[in-house]
mmCIF file with all atom_site columns, all heavy atoms in Angstrom:
data_model
loop_
_atom_site.group_PDB
_atom_site.id
_atom_site.type_symbol
_atom_site.label_atom_id
_atom_site.label_alt_id
_atom_site.label_comp_id
_atom_site.label_asym_id
_atom_site.label_entity_id
_atom_site.label_seq_id
_atom_site.pdbx_PDB_ins_code
_atom_site.Cartn_x
_atom_site.Cartn_y
_atom_site.Cartn_z
_atom_site.occupancy
_atom_site.B_iso_or_equiv
_atom_site.pdbx_formal_charge
_atom_site.auth_seq_id
_atom_site.auth_comp_id
_atom_site.auth_asym_id
_atom_site.auth_atom_id
_atom_site.pdbx_PDB_model_num
ATOM 1  N N   . LEU A 1 69 ? -0.265 -0.258 3.412  1.00 89.00 ? 999  LEU A N   1
ATOM 2  C CA  . LEU A 1 69 ? -0.730 0.711  2.429  1.00 89.00 ? 999  LEU A CA  1
ATOM 3  C C   . LEU A 1 69 ? -1.130 2.000  3.131  1.00 89.00 ? 999  LEU A C   1
ATOM 4  O O   . LEU A 1 69 ? -1.853 1.973  4.117  1.00 89.00 ? 999  LEU A O   1
ATOM 5  C CB  . LEU A 1 69 ? -1.931 0.141  1.667  1.00 89.00 ? 999  LEU A CB  1
ATOM 6  C CG  . LEU A 1 69 ? -2.633 1.061  0.685  1.00 89.00 ? 999  LEU A CG  1
ATOM 7  C CD1 . LEU A 1 69 ? -1.712 1.436  -0.458 1.00 89.00 ? 999  LEU A CD1 1
ATOM 8  C CD2 . LEU A 1 69 ? -3.892 0.373  0.155  1.00 89.00 ? 999  LEU A CD2 1
ATOM 9  N N   . MET A 1 70 ? -0.623 3.135  2.618  1.00 87.00 ? 1000 MET A N   1
ATOM 10 C CA  . MET A 1 70 ? -0.948 4.424  3.223  1.00 87.00 ? 1000 MET A CA  1
ATOM 11 C C   . MET A 1 70 ? -1.209 5.454  2.132  1.00 87.00 ? 1000 MET A C   1
ATOM 12 O O   . MET A 1 70 ? -0.593 5.418  1.078  1.00 87.00 ? 1000 MET A O   1
ATOM 13 C CB  . MET A 1 70 ? 0.226  4.952  4.048  1.00 87.00 ? 1000 MET A CB  1
ATOM 14 C CG  . MET A 1 70 ? 0.585  4.120  5.237  1.00 87.00 ? 1000 MET A CG  1
ATOM 15 S SD  . MET A 1 70 ? 1.790  4.939  6.323  1.00 87.00 ? 1000 MET A SD  1
ATOM 16 C CE  . MET A 1 70 ? 3.113  5.338  5.226  1.00 87.00 ? 1000 MET A CE  1
ATOM 17 N N   . THR A 1 71 ? -2.126 6.360  2.399  1.00 90.00 ? 1001 THR A N   1
ATOM 18 C CA  . THR A 1 71 ? -2.344 7.540  1.562  1.00 90.00 ? 1001 THR A CA  1
ATOM 19 C C   . THR A 1 71 ? -2.485 8.731  2.498  1.00 90.00 ? 1001 THR A C   1
ATOM 20 O O   . THR A 1 71 ? -3.213 8.659  3.488  1.00 90.00 ? 1001 THR A O   1
ATOM 21 C CB  . THR A 1 71 ? -3.615 7.406  0.699  1.00 90.00 ? 1001 THR A CB  1
ATOM 22 O OG1 . THR A 1 71 ? -3.512 6.241  -0.110 1.00 90.00 ? 1001 THR A OG1 1
ATOM 23 C CG2 . THR A 1 71 ? -3.794 8.615  -0.197 1.00 90.00 ? 1001 THR A CG2 1
ATOM 24 N N   . GLU A 1 72 ? -1.775 9.795  2.189  1.00 89.00 ? 1002 GLU A N   1
ATOM 25 C CA  . GLU A 1 72 ? -1.881 10.997 3.011  1.00 89.00 ? 1002 GLU A CA  1
ATOM 26 C C   . GLU A 1 72 ? -3.336 11.462 3.017  1.00 89.00 ? 1002 GLU A C   1
ATOM 27 O O   . GLU A 1 72 ? -3.993 11.456 1.968  1.00 89.00 ? 1002 GLU A O   1
ATOM 28 C CB  . GLU A 1 72 ? -0.976 12.100 2.460  1.00 89.00 ? 1002 GLU A CB  1
ATOM 29 C CG  . GLU A 1 72 ? 0.500  11.821 2.671  1.00 89.00 ? 1002 GLU A CG  1
ATOM 30 C CD  . GLU A 1 72 ? 0.856  11.727 4.152  1.00 89.00 ? 1002 GLU A CD  1
ATOM 31 O OE1 . GLU A 1 72 ? 0.426  12.590 4.935  1.00 89.00 ? 1002 GLU A OE1 1
ATOM 32 O OE2 . GLU A 1 72 ? 1.570  10.779 4.515  1.00 89.00 ? 1002 GLU A OE2 1
ATOM 33 N N   . PRO A 1 73 ? -3.868 11.852 4.167  1.00 89.00 ? 1003 PRO A N   1
ATOM 34 C CA  . PRO A 1 73 ? -5.296 12.199 4.282  1.00 89.00 ? 1003 PRO A CA  1
ATOM 35 C C   . PRO A 1 73 ? -5.798 13.200 3.247  1.00 89.00 ? 1003 PRO A C   1
ATOM 36 O O   . PRO A 1 73 ? -6.887 13.038 2.703  1.00 89.00 ? 1003 PRO A O   1
ATOM 37 C CB  . PRO A 1 73 ? -5.412 12.759 5.704  1.00 89.00 ? 1003 PRO A CB  1
ATOM 38 C CG  . PRO A 1 73 ? -4.298 12.110 6.453  1.00 89.00 ? 1003 PRO A CG  1
ATOM 39 C CD  . PRO A 1 73 ? -3.173 11.953 5.459  1.00 89.00 ? 1003 PRO A CD  1
ATOM 40 N N   . GLU A 1 74 ? -5.011 14.213 2.940  1.00 91.00 ? 1004 GLU A N   1
ATOM 41 C CA  . GLU A 1 74 ? -5.478 15.230 1.996  1.00 91.00 ? 1004 GLU A CA  1
ATOM 42 C C   . GLU A 1 74 ? -5.483 14.753 0.540  1.00 91.00 ? 1004 GLU A C   1
ATOM 43 O O   . GLU A 1 74 ? -5.992 15.445 -0.340 1.00 91.00 ? 1004 GLU A O   1
ATOM 44 C CB  . GLU A 1 74 ? -4.644 16.516 2.130  1.00 91.00 ? 1004 GLU A CB  1
ATOM 45 C CG  . GLU A 1 74 ? -3.188 16.362 1.764  1.00 91.00 ? 1004 GLU A CG  1
ATOM 46 C CD  . GLU A 1 74 ? -2.292 15.914 2.920  1.00 91.00 ? 1004 GLU A CD  1
ATOM 47 O OE1 . GLU A 1 74 ? -2.799 15.390 3.924  1.00 91.00 ? 1004 GLU A OE1 1
ATOM 48 O OE2 . GLU A 1 74 ? -1.071 16.077 2.790  1.00 91.00 ? 1004 GLU A OE2 1
ATOM 49 N N   . HIS A 1 75 ? -4.961 13.554 0.292  1.00 91.00 ? 1005 HIS A N   1
ATOM 50 C CA  . HIS A 1 75 ? -4.923 13.023 -1.077 1.00 91.00 ? 1005 HIS A CA  1
ATOM 51 C C   . HIS A 1 75 ? -5.774 11.758 -1.234 1.00 91.00 ? 1005 HIS A C   1
ATOM 52 O O   . HIS A 1 75 ? -5.680 11.081 -2.260 1.00 91.00 ? 1005 HIS A O   1
ATOM 53 C CB  . HIS A 1 75 ? -3.478 12.743 -1.481 1.00 91.00 ? 1005 HIS A CB  1
ATOM 54 C CG  . HIS A 1 75 ? -2.652 13.983 -1.534 1.00 91.00 ? 1005 HIS A CG  1
ATOM 55 N ND1 . HIS A 1 75 ? -2.745 14.883 -2.567 1.00 91.00 ? 1005 HIS A ND1 1
ATOM 56 C CD2 . HIS A 1 75 ? -1.750 14.489 -0.659 1.00 91.00 ? 1005 HIS A CD2 1
ATOM 57 C CE1 . HIS A 1 75 ? -1.915 15.889 -2.342 1.00 91.00 ? 1005 HIS A CE1 1
ATOM 58 N NE2 . HIS A 1 75 ? -1.312 15.677 -1.189 1.00 91.00 ? 1005 HIS A NE2 1
ATOM 59 N N   . ARG A 1 76 ? -6.579 11.434 -0.257 1.00 91.00 ? 1006 ARG A N   1
ATOM 60 C CA  . ARG A 1 76 ? -7.415 10.228 -0.332 1.00 91.00 ? 1006 ARG A CA  1
ATOM 61 C C   . ARG A 1 76 ? -8.576 10.418 -1.298 1.00 91.00 ? 1006 ARG A C   1
ATOM 62 O O   . ARG A 1 76 ? -8.956 11.523 -1.625 1.00 91.00 ? 1006 ARG A O   1
ATOM 63 C CB  . ARG A 1 76 ? -7.934 9.876  1.066  1.00 91.00 ? 1006 ARG A CB  1
ATOM 64 C CG  . ARG A 1 76 ? -6.798 9.416  1.940  1.00 91.00 ? 1006 ARG A CG  1
ATOM 65 C CD  . ARG A 1 76 ? -7.252 8.980  3.303  1.00 91.00 ? 1006 ARG A CD  1
ATOM 66 N NE  . ARG A 1 76 ? -6.055 8.575  4.052  1.00 91.00 ? 1006 ARG A NE  1
ATOM 67 C CZ  . ARG A 1 76 ? -5.981 8.524  5.350  1.00 91.00 ? 1006 ARG A CZ  1
ATOM 68 N NH1 . ARG A 1 76 ? -7.034 8.825  6.083  1.00 91.00 ? 1006 ARG A NH1 1
ATOM 69 N NH2 . ARG A 1 76 ? -4.869 8.168  5.944  1.00 91.00 ? 1006 ARG A NH2 1
#
Side-chain angles (χ1 to χ4, degrees):
L999 175 64
M1000 296 190 306
T1001 302
E1002 289 298 314
E1004 64 272 18
H1005 296 284
R1006 291 183 181 158

